[in-house]
Amino acid sequence: MLRHLRTTVRHRSTIILWHHHNHYHRSAKYNPPKTANPPSPPKPPKAPQKPQTFTFHDVTWEDPYSWMSSLQDKVAMRHMDMYMEQEEKYTEAVMSDTERLQTKLQSEMASRLNFDLSTPPLRWGPWLYYRRVEEGKQYPVLCRRLASLNEEFISHKSPSSGFDFASGKRIEQKLLDYNQEAERFGGYAYEELSEISPDHKFLAYTMYDKDNDYFKLSVRNLNSGALCSKPHANRVSNLAWVKDGQALLYVVTDENKRPYRIYCSMIGSTDEDVLLLEEQDENVYVNIRHTKDFHFVTVNTFSPTFSKVFLINAADPFSGMNLVWESEGIVHCILEHHQGYLYLFTDAPKDGQIVDSHYLLRSPVDSSSNPRIWENVFIGDQNLVIADVDFCNSHLVLITREGRKYGICSVALPLPGWKQAVHLRELQPHFLPLPKHVCNISPGPNYDYYSKTMRFTISSPVMPDAVVDYDLSNGKWNIVQQQNMLHERTRILYGTALSSAIAEKTTNVKFSSMNDVKSEDRNLWNDLSEFYACEHHDVSSYDGAMVPLTIVYSRKNRKDNQSPGLLHGHGAYGEILDKRWRSELKSLLDRGWIVAYADVRGGGGGGKKWHHDGRRTKKQNSIKDYISCAKYLVEKEIVQENKLAGWGYSVGGLLVASAINCCPDLFRAAVLKVPFLDATNTLLYPILPLTAADYEEFGYPGDIDEFHAIRKFSPYDNIQKDALYPAVLVSSSFNTRFGVWEAAKWVARVREQTIYDPKHPILLNLTIDIVEENRYLQCKESALETAFLLKTVDS
């Protein structure tokens, strides 16, 4: 899928996404236990102060807790261990009166988990690939089976079932057991990359080596199950198969985690791996990927000043790299190949002018012009934004957006040989059916270039994620996996019944507007809008900018003018705020809570200008947008005054914490998960490596204006003295991109400088690294967060 590339985001190239079933629960109001003589509240721990003075540009400041980040100081780390233990005991003591509630919440959330843990099989060539978790095991097993064997018995729900009576063997072939990988890597199995060779003989994958803090490359023979003798590389960030699976290209990072070298390894050869490229400039980053037809490997190199795309012939990887495109600055650019044409999806400036959205270019592979001439495929349409594109041999698929409304349309390939750009409608696109309130469309792996079926995950605030297969040849569609909360309304989710019901209505839909595709029946989509409402509001920010605000609530349990509320925010890197239905939030919705999402500037969904207006020196726009949305919820009596909580993850934690600094009385509570809180010190003196994209987002402290802007929005540096802060639960881990010291420093300084009130506790919760991979530990963490909100807001 030609999705936007950003080097700071690690992603897993897995076969398919996990989805969980949900159950329907009655709501229950939290009532604290009644005691005759309530015990005195526990006192928060007091962190040792060891003031250190810093000076940069024209500013001098003192940091009494900088010792917490002295990872090489053994004495400091011993003090840190003791302090973390005190914080853990304090959090347990404060939350002790919610133990029964936490148990109930954890039970609710666990009951919504999917007990059938197979992913729907994904067809690639003759094989069906899928993952499943065996009973009693923590990690999944990657498996495959031939699609031709007992095809009539293949089930999306239970792909491993079946027996080949001709050979006397089980149909399923186990390829990789991640439980055994956990034994190789100290009880921890976290895979980042996974690429099966185009000849289906090998699997290249990277596993996280926790002791060394890098990803280790392994290649496994899928026929024998044995590990190949080579390559065995460390610090690997990218993979691409070449020579029809006979060779593997991989990228390694330096000690600062900058991808800078490309190697080629011949599978089965004893020869040393060949170095194809080394970028010695510490500001240049390297990324590779193969085109979907495996004809080429694209090499992206980028720095703060340029972006370039090179092409490697996959049949002859040693023939060199050819420059095919370049632009100034860091831009998103990804290249695909289809029947003699190169297609480039990018948001690079046009004729020196910044563009607000991505566009598609094409150029013949054998073009002899220098520099290469690229033609626009489509005439720009201000109302219809192309958010993403994907290719198969027979169709071009576009993910589009009109305002807040998403669409998926397909166009038959090859495109006409016109020299000039055309309007999309001239190509008679076919818009595929979607439910209401779609908030995101994520493409599946779609490995099979020659298949006319493409898989997407459709997300909505009021619908469990639906994994949908679209047949591009006839417009039929099939939900192959979806959470099913309402068991009394169970329907067939694993067959062709859904598609046949509306195929006749949608097959012949031509271009007019994606609103014309009438297939939004919630009975077809397992939509929950009968029980949960989704509303869209536009909130005027301080400068008149209109900020999208999405509100979700239970139709049955909402309390007019009395509802507590939870406001989510992110606002960075141009990323779209995650507004998907999350089963753990059902516990709040069913207790009458409002769940809201503020799409502030700095985030995605509003074009490049919307992103740029909320980054670097304009970061204050993000914070003020979030505050405007919070005030709107209270002023419009959507949320009861003094019952609003904030929620932020990672850089969203910076947003929420900054809003609290500005308006501490606006919020009753907040949950900050692995938050970015100490912006000044992190950007000036990074302990964990940062990339150019991080500085492009938050600013270069070497620039005096950007340094002052960083000082102004850094949550740790702007805590109000002698103010009453809301109750805050900060969750962090020693193995996060923003270290636990950021959370610990912020918690200590808030306690030191603000008014102490035991009803407004500031808590630090340390999670263990393995939570990310264990769904039941995730339930436990979510139960703690929900109990904290109910205790501090709803009581």
Side-chain angles (χ1 to χ4, degrees):
M1 192 65 182
L2 304 192
R3 64 180 72 213
H4 309 165
L5 292 181
R6 186 169 66 77
T7 58
T8 57
V9 178
R10 285 179 174 166
H11 64 281
R12 295 183 215 182
S13 180
T14 52
I15 292 293
I16 193 63
L17 303 171
W18 295 103
H19 300 274
H20 311 304
H21 287 280
N22 294 279
H23 297 251
Y24 197 55
H25 282 280
R26 296 183 180 180
S27 64
K29 184 177 177 68
Y30 167 63
N31 292 309
K34 297 179 180 178
T35 55
N37 295 306
S40 58
K43 291 189 176 181
K46 196 170 183 180
Q49 294 192 22
K50 303 174 184 178
Q52 187 172 352
T53 301
F54 298 88
T55 299
F56 197 75
H57 287 311
D58 53 352
V59 179
T60 297
W61 68 96
E62 192 176 80
D63 186 351
Y65 304 110
S66 63
W67 63 268
M68 293 184 179
S69 60
S70 302
L71 302 187
Q72 307 305 319
D73 186 334
K74 293 182 179 180
V75 174
M77 288 302 96
R78 280 199 297 271
H79 289 167
M80 189 66 166
D81 288 341
M82 290 187 289
Y83 175 57
M84 291 296 98
E85 192 173 325
Q86 293 171 13
E87 288 288 357
E88 186 176 18
K89 290 179 179 178
Y90 175 63
T91 299
E92 288 178 359
V94 170
M95 297 299 294
S96 61
D97 63 340
T98 67
E99 287 181 359
R100 290 179 64 184
L101 175 62
Q102 288 185 57
T103 301
K104 176 177 174 54
L105 290 167
Q106 190 173 351
S107 177
E108 289 178 17
M109 295 172 183
S111 69
R112 299 175 194 139
L113 296 178
N114 181 11
F115 292 100
D116 174 16
L117 296 179
S118 293
T119 60
L122 181 74
R123 183 159 187 166
W124 182 12
W127 295 97
L128 292 166
Y129 290 91
Y130 54 94
R131 295 171 190 253
R132 63 183 181 84
V133 176
E134 297 177 327
E135 188 174 354
K137 299 293 182 66
Q138 180 175 347
Y139 296 105
V141 181
L142 174 62
C143 306
R144 71 179 177 187
R145 57 174 289 178
L146 284 170
S148 60
L149 289 178
N150 294 60
E151 189 169 5
E152 65 274 19
F153 294 111
I154 292 174
S155 163
H156 291 300
K157 190 173 183 180
S158 183
S160 61
S161 60
F163 192 82
D164 180 15
F165 291 98
S167 65
K169 297 179 180 179
R170 287 192 62 83
I171 287 176
E172 179 181 82
Q173 179 187 358
K174 291 184 180 180
L175 304 179
L176 183 60
D177 188 337
Y178 291 95
N179 297 284
Q180 295 177 5
E181 291 300 303
E183 295 176 8
R184 289 178 61 205
F185 291 95
Y188 189 72
Y190 175 27
E191 175 189 76
E192 184 181 48
L193 305 172
S194 177
E195 294 285 347
I196 293 171
S197 62
D199 60 3
H200 303 274
K201 293 180 179 179
F202 298 98
L203 169 68
Y205 60 103
T206 61
M207 300 295 296
Y208 182 59
D209 187 328
K210 196 174 176 183
D211 294 335
N212 296 298
D213 189 28
Y214 57 55
F215 286 88
K216 187 177 182 67
L217 171 64
S218 300
V219 176
R220 194 172 290 273
N221 185 316
L222 296 183
N223 291 322
S224 67
L227 282 172
C228 298
S229 58
K230 62 180 282 287
H232 280 298
N234 299 326
R235 302 198 303 268
V236 173
S237 63
N238 272 123
L239 305 172
W241 286 101
V242 292
K243 294 179 72 67
D244 292 326
Q246 298 176 43
L248 179 71
L249 302 188
Y250 60 91
V251 178
V252 300
T253 65
D254 61 18
E255 293 184 355
N256 291 322
K257 299 187 179 180
R258 176 182 68 93
Y260 77 121
R261 285 178 177 169
I262 303 177
Y263 286 94
C264 180
S265 178
M266 299 299 296
I267 305 300
S269 169
T270 57
D271 296 339
E272 289 290 318
D273 295 348
V274 179
L275 178 64
L276 299 184
L277 173 71
E278 180 174 10
E279 277 291 353
Q280 296 185 343
D281 187 337
E282 63 182 16
N283 293 313
V284 178
Y285 295 75
V286 177
N287 179 69
I288 64 173
R289 64 178 293 274
H290 64 76
T291 56
K292 292 191 70 175
D293 60 5
F294 286 96
H295 287 189
F296 298 98
V297 170
T298 63
V299 179
N300 290 54
T301 62
F302 40 92
S303 76
T305 57
F306 70 82
S307 298
K308 296 180 180 180
V309 182
F310 298 86
L311 216 55
I312 293 177
N313 184 349
D316 186 9
F318 303 114
S319 61
M321 300 191 310
N322 296 317
L323 177 66
V324 294
W325 185 83
E326 60 182 320
S327 176
E328 293 183 356
I330 295 180
V331 297
H332 297 135
C333 50
I334 192 164
L335 186 141
E336 195 52 80
H337 171 254
H338 182 272
Q339 296 184 10
Y341 278 92
L342 299 177
Y343 288 84
L344 185 78
F345 189 60
T346 184
D347 63 351
K350 280 185 176 181
D351 303 320
Q353 299 295 315
I354 293 177
V355 298
D356 203 38
S357 58
H358 286 68
Y359 54 94
L360 188 63
L361 302 173
R362 75 171 177 175
S363 176
V365 172
D366 56 4
S367 172
S368 58
S369 60
N370 189 15
R372 176 181 288 270
I373 296 174
W374 290 89
E375 304 166 350
N376 282 290
V377 175
F378 300 115
I379 294 173
D381 186 337
Q382 289 184 342
N383 297 319
L384 187 71
V385 174
I386 299 176
D388 214 342
V389 301
D390 199 358
F391 285 84
C392 66
N393 189 49
S394 60
H395 288 82
L396 165 65
V397 176
L398 310 174
I399 296 178
T400 62
R401 195 178 69 249
E402 278 187 281
R404 293 181 179 179
K405 190 174 181 66
Y406 279 87
I408 307 178
C409 71
S410 62
V411 174
L413 291 176
L415 296 178
W418 302 328
K419 290 289 184 181
Q420 294 183 337
V422 298
H423 287 285
L424 177 58
R425 62 175 174 269
E426 296 179 51
L427 299 177
Q428 297 185 317
H430 176 88
F431 275 94
L432 304 171
L434 289 171
K436 291 181 179 179
H437 304 302
V438 172
C439 64
N440 196 34
I441 300 174
S442 303
N446 295 326
Y447 290 127
D448 198 334
Y449 178 70
Y450 297 98
S451 172
K452 292 183 179 180
T453 298
M454 279 197 182
R455 180 167 293 177
F456 297 87
T457 298
I458 313 300
S459 300
S460 160
V462 288
M463 182 193 77
D465 281 0
V467 182
V468 185
D469 281 352
Y470 289 99
D471 188 330
L472 304 178
S473 64
N474 56 27
K476 292 184 179 181
W477 57 289
N478 181 25
I479 298 178
V480 297
Q481 188 179 65
Q482 188 176 30
Q483 303 170 16
N484 184 16
M485 287 173 35
L486 310 174
H487 285 284
E488 67 274 18
R489 296 168 59 87
T490 298
R491 299 185 312 280
I492 297 172
L493 294 179
Y494 307 101
T496 57
L498 293 178
S499 59
S500 61
I502 66 162
E504 294 299 321
K505 298 180 183 179
T506 62
T507 298
N508 297 314
V509 175
K510 301 298 182 184
F511 185 94
S512 173
S513 167
M514 54 186 166
N515 294 309
D516 293 340
V517 183
K518 303 296 184 183
S519 58
E520 299 177 335
D521 191 328
R522 60 173 174 260
N523 290 328
L524 291 172
W525 285 98
N526 197 21
D527 187 283
L528 302 174
S529 55
E530 179 182 344
F531 306 96
Y532 302 96
C534 179
E535 297 178 359
H536 300 288
H537 298 245
D538 290 303
V539 178
S540 178
S541 191
Y542 78 102
D543 57 355
M546 302 307 293
V547 183
L549 179 67
T550 303
I551 296 172
V552 181
Y553 58 88
S554 166
R555 297 186 186 277
K556 177 182 177 182
N557 298 303
R558 178 181 179 180
K559 310 159 191 172
D560 290 337
N561 305 328
Q562 297 179 11
S563 294
L566 182 64
L567 179 60
H568 291 72
H570 186 71
Y573 295 109
E575 295 172 347
I576 294 175
L577 178 63
D578 185 3
K579 298 186 285 289
R580 295 174 300 164
W581 171 265
R582 285 166 40 205
S583 61
E584 65 268 25
L585 289 178
K586 186 177 186 300
S587 295
L588 286 176
L589 292 169
D590 290 351
R591 287 169 170 82
W593 280 58
I594 305 292
V595 176
Y597 303 88
D599 280 298
V600 303
R601 281 173 283 187
K608 183 179 282 190
K609 185 178 187 303
W610 189 260
H611 170 212
H612 286 190
D613 281 349
R615 66 173 195 164
R616 296 171 77 166
T617 57
K618 297 180 179 180
K619 190 63 192 170
Q620 289 294 333
N621 286 339
S622 301
I623 300 163
K624 292 178 180 178
D625 288 353
Y626 184 81
I627 292 171
S628 296
C629 289
K631 290 180 176 178
Y632 178 90
L633 290 171
V634 174
E635 291 168 1
K636 298 296 182 182
E637 298 184 337
I638 298 169
V639 173
Q640 184 179 352
E641 187 176 7
N642 201 33
K643 284 202 170 185
L644 177 64
W647 195 96
Y649 173 79
S650 188
V651 292
L654 179 146
L655 177 76
V656 176
S658 295
I660 290 172
N661 283 343
C662 295
C663 304
D665 57 345
L666 183 57
F667 302 91
R668 180 69 175 270
V671 174
L672 310 179
K673 292 179 69 71
V674 291
F676 178 30
L677 297 172
D678 190 9
T680 301
N681 288 303
T682 295
L683 293 169
L684 265 179
Y685 314 110
I687 296 169
L688 302 175
L690 300 179
T691 69
D694 296 318
Y695 290 109
E696 286 286 313
E697 188 64 33
F698 297 104
Y700 293 88
D703 180 291
I704 190 167
D705 292 332
E706 297 198 0
F707 171 74
H708 285 296
I710 293 166
R711 289 282 298 170
K712 192 173 180 181
F713 68 68
S714 175
Y716 180 67
D717 298 305
N718 292 280
I719 296 165
Q720 283 196 31
K721 291 187 176 181
D722 301 323
L724 179 61
Y725 265 44
V728 183
L729 174 65
V730 186
S731 293
S732 192
S733 162
F734 280 103
N735 191 33
T736 62
R737 186 153 176 264
F738 301 115
V740 69
W741 51 88
E742 294 209 14
K745 288 175 66 175
W746 186 85
V747 165
R749 180 168 269 187
V750 169
R751 292 204 194 115
E752 172 203 341
Q753 296 189 349
T754 63
I755 297 173
Y756 169 70
D757 184 343
K759 293 182 180 179
H760 292 226
I762 308 296
L763 305 181
L764 178 58
N765 175 47
L766 282 179
T767 63
I768 57 176
D769 300 336
I770 211 159
V771 165
E772 183 178 335
E773 296 293 325
N774 188 306
R775 300 182 310 145
Y776 293 99
L777 286 178
Q778 287 176 357
C779 285
K780 187 176 182 180
E781 294 298 324
S782 296
L784 173 67
E785 293 165 10
T786 305
F788 170 79
L789 292 172
L790 294 173
K791 171 185 170 72
T792 55
V793 176
D794 214 12
S795 59

